[in-house]
Amino acid sequence: MISNLKPIEIWFATGSQHLYGPETLKQVAAHSQSIAQGLDAGPDIPLKVLFKPIVTTPEEIRALCVEASNSPQCGGVIAWMHTFSPAKMWIGGLSVLTKPLLHLHTQFNRDLPWGKIDMDFMNLNQAAHGDREFGFIGARMRIARKVVVGYWEDGDVHARIARWMRAARGWHDWQGARFARFGDNMRFVAVTEGDKVAAEIKLGYMVNGYGIGDLVASMDAVPDAQINELCAQYEREYEVSEELKTGGARHESLRYEARIELGLLSFLEENGCVGFTDSFEVLHGVQQLPGLATQRVMAAGYGFGGEGDWKTCALLRAMKVMAEGLDGGTSFMEDYTYHLHSDAHQVLGAHMLEICPTIAAARPKVEIHPLGIGGKADPVRLVFDTPSGAAINASLVDVGNRFRLIVNEVEVVAPAQALPNLPVARAIWEPKPDFKVAAAAWIWAGGAHHTGFSLALDAETLEDFAEIAGVEFLLIGEGTTVRELKQQLRTNEVYYALSQGFGRS
């Protein structure tokens, strides 16, 4: 579980009007409360659903939207029009609503009461056109929102609402979030650069730099007793190589990694940060690169980006928040090298050290090996394979006038052979729709080599997140063609130029 995750709730708002009389409004309120309670009790619903009194006037609607926007506990609003709620009443409220919005198009009853239906029933159950009226004003005002259609008790409706809730929770976590950068990004690298001011304006989080000496000071303050306790925990949780165990020839290297982990966690907590970046080029005063330490800090829910990649760091944190409570894991990742045999084109994903153990297929091994870059002592790291299954790779890039979120659906596969000489955590996958199209589309879109990789999330959740954040979204998956993606990029270029003027996102 993520210990520093802020609890939030989703408000359920129902629109109606006084045209139908007080008895009808009592029924509307009762039905609305039943739906809110039903959603709240759904086993797949990740957040509390809070029923709010029905709204029937412009003043009530605006007051509700102002309250939602100002509430630190409100993570988003689900809106439903039980009867016909004239949408001009919603203009004032929607114009001030700053929280994510989901429009649920449903009705209280599943079936028509064929032999009993009368005009009283018709007047009460008018979502069929009440929601269309609400849909118009959303379209007219260009309101970012998700639309879910179907009977409110159906599993697929709950699943789509749950995805949006997870996206809303990721967005809520970003607002005011802090990310620490120890040093700058890797020299001469383009994609890890970006506009941090624009990110704070557009996305709500801040990125601040710290000297590596600040981390070293935090590490130096860690008591030996805590290091002893953490090393014992390592031996309980992982397969620790003999040379690293207590009494082993290289046990001091394991102790040093424990010192990094404890110092890093202390620093992040003290400074209110939910993620960090570092770079092997600027780790002066640290004897070995943070490997095991970074892996475990990621497993605790913190974001991470290698070589100063603050955008991937922030994205990874959001993805971990969105995936909280789901099976599977989420990790920092990098497309490292390829298998291009004619029978199967595959990607081997890994990094120097920093792959999160939440995506491990089995109990990870703790090993120590030389690292060809960085000029430091041999770092300790967790080594493991990733289980087979559906996954996504996501990249957030700064393309100058806007941020772009690119998602590729992939299928993780087992290694064709053992990898005894590759001492890093790794995943092997086959991109959709196929390797050639996926790689070309990714390159055309400007996707980074660093990604957020998840076995827990799907593309729809990330699409909902992009809609909430107001950033461009590109999906590479089944049915993608390079020609259509290139045309989508051209079309989007015009759209964002016109919608945002000459400024940037």
Side-chain angles (χ1 to χ4, degrees), residues 155-346:
D156 67 306
V157 170
H158 282 215
R160 297 200 67 211
I161 292 173
R163 291 187 184 99
W164 172 81
M165 284 184 176
R166 293 184 178 281
R169 182 161 60 178
W171 176 251
H172 187 272
D173 185 75
W174 259 10
Q175 305 314 296
R178 297 182 179 185
F179 296 94
R181 297 181 80 208
F182 296 112
D184 207 341
N185 66 303
M186 183 179 173
R187 288 186 284 274
F188 306 116
V189 177
V191 76
T192 52
E193 293 280 6
D195 189 335
K196 296 188 287 295
V197 173
E200 189 166 349
I201 294 170
K202 179 71 176 176
L203 306 176
Y205 62 79
M206 63 187 76
V207 183
N208 295 314
Y210 296 88
I212 195 64
D214 297 329
L215 174 58
V216 172
S218 183
M219 291 165 50
D220 289 343
V222 175
D224 285 344
Q226 290 186 23
I227 294 174
N228 295 339
E229 183 179 342
L230 186 53
C231 286
Q233 182 181 341
Y234 292 158
E235 294 194 31
R236 291 193 303 269
E237 292 186 9
Y238 311 118
E239 292 185 31
V240 180
S241 64
E242 291 298 325
E243 61 184 337
L244 291 173
K245 288 182 178 179
T246 303
R250 308 193 72 177
H251 181 64
E252 285 302 315
S253 295
L254 184 68
R255 291 181 60 82
Y256 192 78
E257 200 70 28
R259 181 177 293 280
I260 298 176
E261 178 181 340
L262 292 166
L264 181 56
L265 283 171
S266 176
F267 179 91
L268 294 174
E269 291 170 5
E270 181 179 341
N271 289 278
C273 297
V274 295
F276 75 102
T277 73
D278 60 23
S279 174
F280 62 90
E281 291 177 327
V282 285
L283 285 175
H284 310 299
V286 181
Q287 297 173 19
Q288 67 189 47
L289 271 66
L292 171 63
T294 298
Q295 292 175 290
R296 284 178 52 84
V297 170
M298 267 194 287
Y302 288 87
F304 171 75
E307 292 93 54
D309 188 349
W310 55 270
K311 295 186 297 299
T312 301
C313 169
L315 176 62
L316 179 62
R317 166 66 182 192
M319 290 175 69
K320 282 186 169 290
V321 169
M322 287 186 260
E324 176 75 354
L326 293 176
D327 293 333
T330 302
S331 177
F332 176 72
M333 187 58 72
E334 178 174 286
D335 295 60
Y336 223 103
T337 191
Y338 296 143
H339 176 67
L340 297 180
H341 192 277
S342 58
D343 291 340
H345 289 179
Q346 298 171 337

